[in-house]
Amino acid sequence: MIQRFIAALSGSPEAQASDFDALALAAAAVLVEAARADDHYTDEEKRLIEDTLRGEFAHTAEDAVRVREMAEARRADAADLHQFTRPLKTLSPYMKDAFVEALWRVVLSDAKRDPWEEMVIRRVCGLIYVSDVDSGKARARAEAALKAR
């Protein structure tokens, strides 16, 4: 308790992270992992991650940037995805589908299907209990949305 209070006064990253919903941070970390899987982390991918945060978690543009940046730092220090997918398991089936669609939009934003990015999505889907069929439907919706832009 005292350490949390000291962290809040010092403005440490732990205090900043407590300002944001843990679910949004977990989702952002998974989106960042998927975007970085092909070793090309573009500004377009960052923008799509921030758009997802604003659309799904009602963050302002500035908050979405901060959450993405915190997620980048947390993901760099993490050993695996389990700590980030655990909170995502609590999403409703509808929200899981929307999240998987957002994952596909991020990785397909460069108009290339990369096996490393697809592997991350398959692993995440398995961890949050989204079937291959539902993931395929989410991919088709993401492809259609990206073509419509």
Side-chain angles (χ1 to χ4, degrees), residues 4 13 24 30-31 33 38 53 62 64 71 82 85 89 92 100 102 104 108 110 119-120 124-125 127 131 135 139 142:
R4 227 181 306 162
V30 172
L31 289 163
E33 176 67 14
D38 67 351
L53 293 172
E62 296 80 20
H82 290 274
T85 57
K89 289 178 187 179
S92 70
V100 172
W104 280 112
L108 295 174
D110 59 4
M119 179 195 64
V120 170
V124 168
C125 286
L127 291 169
S131 72
S135 176
R139 183 186 70 231

Side-chain angles (χ1 to χ4, degrees), residues 116-143:
W116 293 107
E117 291 173 329
E118 289 183 7
M119 179 195 64
V120 170
I121 293 176
R122 277 193 309 278
R123 189 170 53 186
V124 168
C125 286
L127 291 169
I128 65 171
Y129 311 120
V130 172
S131 72
D132 289 340
V133 170
D134 288 338
S135 176
K137 290 176 183 176
R139 183 186 70 231
R141 288 190 308 270
E143 288 171 336

Side-chain angles (χ1 to χ4, degrees), residues 43-136:
D43 289 338
E44 175 67 7
E45 289 170 326
K46 291 177 184 179
R47 186 190 64 73
L48 286 169
I49 291 168
E50 292 163 10
D51 287 351
T52 299
L53 293 172
R54 280 195 312 275
E56 301 299 329
F57 300 100
H59 288 285
T60 65
E62 296 80 20
D63 286 347
V65 170
R66 286 183 58 204
V67 171
R68 180 188 49 80
E69 289 171 347
M70 284 190 295
E72 290 167 352
R74 291 271 175 97
R75 184 59 201 117
D77 294 337
D80 60 32
L81 285 174
H82 290 274
Q83 66 183 323
F84 302 116
T85 57
R86 193 171 302 119
L88 299 175
K89 289 178 187 179
T90 65
L91 294 173
S92 70
Y94 172 80
M95 289 299 294
K96 286 179 184 179
D97 282 346
F99 178 71
V100 172
E101 183 178 338
L103 276 170
W104 280 112
R105 270 194 316 271
V106 168
V107 302
L108 295 174
S109 65
D110 59 4
K112 297 176 191 168
R113 290 187 59 177
D114 182 83
W116 293 107
E117 291 173 329
E118 289 183 7
M119 179 195 64
V120 170
I121 293 176
R122 277 193 309 278
R123 189 170 53 186
V124 168
C125 286
L127 291 169
I128 65 171
Y129 311 120
V130 172
S131 72
D132 289 340
V133 170
D134 288 338
S135 176

